[in-house]
Amino acid sequence: MASSSSSSSSSSSTTSKYDVFVSFRGEDTRYNFTDHLYAALQRKGIVAFRDDTKLKKGKSIAPELLQAIEGSQIYIVVFSKNYASSTWCLRELTKILDCVQVSRKYILPIFYDVDPSEVRKQNEGYEKAFGEHEERFKEDSEMMEEVKRWRIALKEIANLSGWDVRYKPQNTEIEKIVKEIISILAHNFSSLPNDLVGMQSPAEELEKLLALSSVNAVRVVGICGMGGAGKTTLATVLWDKISHQFDACCFIVDVCKSDVIDTQKQLLQQALNKENLHIFNPFLAADLIRRRLRYVRAFIVLDNVDQVEQLEKLGVNREWLGAGSRIIITSRDLHILRKYGVDDVYTVKLLNADNALQLFSRKAFNCDNIGRDYKVLSYEVLEYAKGLPLAIKVLGSFLFGRDIHEWRSALARLRENPSKDIMDVLRISYDGLEEMEKEIFLDIVCFFNGHKLLNVEKYNSPY
């Protein structure tokens, strides 16, 4: 039922400060519907401007209010019986329409205790209110022109598809409104970095494995790959795309680096907006997670897991989650994912030549094109990185802004003595091995030193 934006494709020049601005008649709804709406927005982490009752109501809108309107992405207009009697509300409405006409923003009209047709046709109480405005300002031609603008703004906004909440449970309607806002924000904003390359196809494949259309089942999908390959990035891409579809969401980074209690607190705080939790017993915390999430459609990402015990102690079991819930687990160890019982595993592939070159270009040149003088050297660098995204980023950032002589010198040093940053990247997967596995790895390296990789892989293949 939410309206779409009637706006141009140009973007606002004003930096967004608020997600939502709510225009309402304080005497009508401040202590009931609007108060409940603000609370619901806050619980979901949505930043909404709340009109300060101390703002001086004068002939013109206060500068703070103008800035709040200009700096918001979504406008909610709560039409009530006495909305049109307030010149302050009508000025807000006119300013909101001005902002929507020059930028891609949304207006969601809500008809609280008034028939939508009364607002659209400006009859009954709204007709009376405008009659009083016209009588009051009949000697002021400037104000009479403003009243005309109020009528136009009111008509345009009231004619948008909106929410008629009369005779309906307020909590239920507010939940629907908040979900609509979350959906809009998810399409308008992205927390993703601007240097993502080659992620569209993997994200689509991972989304298929999650089978989001299956609303009754609870699915667990693993993401596996070597350190620095982009497991966390892929999970973040999908999180940014689909998290708004769930009732509760939680993304825990580096599970392996946090103790069980801290991880459980993060889960409860993110998924259920529970702060200042005094939890000291992991078993009681697991029981709390079970009781709070068993009827909730949740989306949980557990990143960088290196032991099955971390998952078992956390207490996030598919049997304890509501229908339609999804869990993503990232790990360098396929055995951990299989032992936990994931439904499917997506193995992250290294970047192909084109994507590797594009990512390197963005890091080394801050654009998608490589200068002619740097092409050969760039291919040498990429040969060194072997398609590993994190290694490409480190090398590109290191070479950014350096001239061609510095590039040559840096490459010579890398061949003789690889930089600490690159070695740290390449050691991530090695450090995650068990001691016996490390010894086997070193034996292979020493035995096949100087051999071509293809021959080594063929020699060690069981087929």
Side-chain angles (χ1 to χ4, degrees):
M1 290 181 63
S3 70
S4 61
S5 168
S6 56
S7 61
S8 68
S9 60
S10 61
S11 60
S12 174
S13 59
T14 306
T15 302
S16 298
K17 189 176 180 181
Y18 302 99
D19 297 326
V20 176
F21 180 92
V22 185
S23 177
F24 62 97
R25 171 72 165 162
E27 295 176 10
D28 292 350
T29 69
R30 184 184 298 278
Y31 300 113
N32 41 66
F33 180 84
T34 304
D35 190 57
H36 299 321
L37 176 61
Y38 273 117
L41 293 171
Q42 187 178 37
R43 285 194 297 271
K44 289 296 184 180
I46 298 170
V47 182
F49 176 81
R50 182 151 198 169
D51 181 14
D52 186 347
T53 55
K54 295 180 181 178
L55 284 176
K56 187 176 180 180
K57 314 280 185 175
K59 185 173 182 179
S60 300
I61 297 180
E64 306 98 302
L65 205 58
L66 282 174
Q67 291 173 8
I69 295 173
E70 292 171 353
S72 299
Q73 285 298 310
I74 299 174
Y75 304 108
I76 296 177
V77 181
V78 183
F79 288 118
S80 56
K81 287 188 177 298
N82 299 309
Y83 184 91
S85 66
S86 168
T87 57
W88 186 265
C89 288
L90 294 171
R91 289 189 177 109
E92 285 180 354
L93 202 66
T94 306
K95 179 62 179 178
I96 287 171
L97 187 61
D98 289 343
C99 289
V100 168
Q101 289 174 341
V102 298
S103 62
R104 185 174 293 279
K105 297 185 178 182
Y106 290 79
I107 303 177
L108 305 180
I110 297 172
F111 302 94
Y112 170 64
D113 60 355
V114 61
D115 192 310
S117 65
E118 179 180 333
V119 183
R120 291 163 185 156
K121 296 176 182 179
Q122 295 175 23
N123 56 22
E124 297 184 31
Y126 277 67
E127 182 180 23
K128 178 182 177 183
F130 274 103
E132 291 174 353
H133 294 319
E134 290 166 348
E135 177 64 25
R136 177 183 173 190
F137 300 122
K138 63 182 180 181
E139 304 297 332
D140 189 332
S141 59
E142 184 178 334
M143 283 303 302
M144 286 299 289
E145 285 299 317
E146 186 170 1
V147 172
K148 290 181 182 178
R149 291 196 295 274
W150 294 345
R151 281 190 178 276
I152 293 170
L154 185 68
K155 183 177 180 179
E156 287 202 30
I157 293 175
N159 275 320
L160 296 172
S161 176
W163 303 77
D164 185 355
V165 300
R166 297 174 304 156
Y167 320 121
K168 298 175 183 177
Q170 286 193 11
N171 287 341
T172 302
E173 294 305 301
I174 287 174
E175 283 183 12
K176 293 177 182 177
I177 293 166
V178 171
K179 281 186 178 180
E180 179 70 18
I181 292 169
I182 291 172
S183 178
I184 293 171
L185 292 175
H187 285 87
N188 283 3
F189 299 104
S190 174
S191 58
L192 299 176
N194 58 9
D195 61 359
L196 291 180
V197 172
M199 280 292 168
Q200 181 175 347
S201 179
E204 290 173 354
E205 290 182 43
L206 180 59
E207 188 173 355
K208 288 179 182 177
L209 294 181
L210 286 174
L212 297 176
S213 60
S214 179
V215 296
N216 294 320
V218 176
R219 286 185 61 79
V220 184
V221 174
I223 303 177
C224 189
M226 67 182 296
K231 299 182 297 297
T232 303
T233 302
L234 178 56
T236 304
V237 169
L238 202 62
W239 168 275
D240 193 75
K241 183 179 180 182
I242 70 171
S243 59
H244 68 279
Q245 301 177 24
F246 295 82
D247 301 321
C249 300
C250 177
F251 194 126
I252 299 178
V253 179
D254 282 331
V255 172
C256 65
K257 295 181 180 179
S258 302
D259 62 35
V260 176
I261 290 292
D262 286 341
T263 304
Q264 290 173 322
K265 284 183 179 179
Q266 282 191 62
L267 196 156
L268 290 166
Q269 288 169 350
Q270 290 186 44
L272 302 173
N273 295 297
K274 297 291 183 182
E275 298 183 1
N276 302 318
L277 293 170
H278 300 288
I279 297 175
F280 306 100
N281 187 315
F283 301 105
L284 294 178
D287 183 61
L288 181 60
I289 291 170
R290 177 182 61 81
R291 287 188 285 108
R292 295 298 179 88
L293 295 181
R294 64 187 304 179
Y295 301 114
V296 175
R297 187 169 183 258
F299 180 34
I300 299 172
V301 177
L302 303 173
D303 172 57
N304 197 12
V305 175
D306 63 3
Q307 295 178 26
V308 177
E309 290 74 16
Q310 293 163 352
L311 299 171
E312 293 173 346
K313 292 178 180 178
L314 182 58
V316 179
N317 300 321
R318 68 173 74 216
E319 296 82 7
W320 294 359
L321 298 178
S325 294
R326 296 293 184 269
I327 302 174
I328 291 178
I329 303 169
T330 77
S331 179
R332 295 190 294 271
D333 192 337
L334 178 61
H335 174 70
I336 290 174
L337 300 174
R338 294 297 189 196
K339 189 174 180 181
Y340 183 72
V342 299
D343 297 299
D344 278 295
V345 175
Y346 180 84
T347 302
V348 178
K349 304 173 184 66
L350 298 180
L351 295 179
N352 61 32
D354 291 338
N355 287 332
L357 185 62
Q358 184 180 9
L359 178 58
F360 179 73
S361 300
R362 292 186 181 182
K363 286 298 180 181
F365 302 99
N366 205 23
C367 66
D368 286 340
N369 299 314
I370 294 177
R372 184 174 57 185
D373 296 337
Y374 289 88
K375 273 196 174 180
V376 174
L377 293 174
S378 295
Y379 286 121
E380 288 188 39
V381 173
L382 292 174
E383 179 64 25
Y384 185 83
K386 301 295 183 185
L388 188 65
L390 191 52
I392 293 171
K393 290 180 182 180
V394 171
L395 284 168
S397 298
F398 174 73
L399 294 169
F400 176 77
R402 301 179 188 271
D403 62 35
I404 199 162
H405 301 292
E406 291 175 300
W407 274 54
R408 291 192 179 114
S409 176
L411 274 170
R413 291 199 308 273
L414 282 172
R415 294 190 192 99
E416 297 173 5
N417 183 26
S419 74
K420 183 178 183 301
D421 286 343
I422 294 299
M423 292 305 297
D424 287 344
V425 170
L426 299 177
R427 281 185 64 95
I428 291 174
S429 293
Y430 175 77
D431 289 339
L433 298 174
E434 298 293 336
E435 288 304 316
M436 180 62 74
E437 294 170 329
K438 288 181 181 178
E439 292 181 14
I440 295 172
F441 176 82
L442 292 174
D443 287 342
I444 294 173
V445 171
C446 294
F447 185 80
F448 291 101
N449 186 25
H451 289 252
K452 291 185 177 180
L453 177 62
L454 183 62
N455 293 336
V456 176
E457 290 175 340
K458 188 181 295 184
Y459 183 87
N460 286 279
S461 173
Y463 302 104

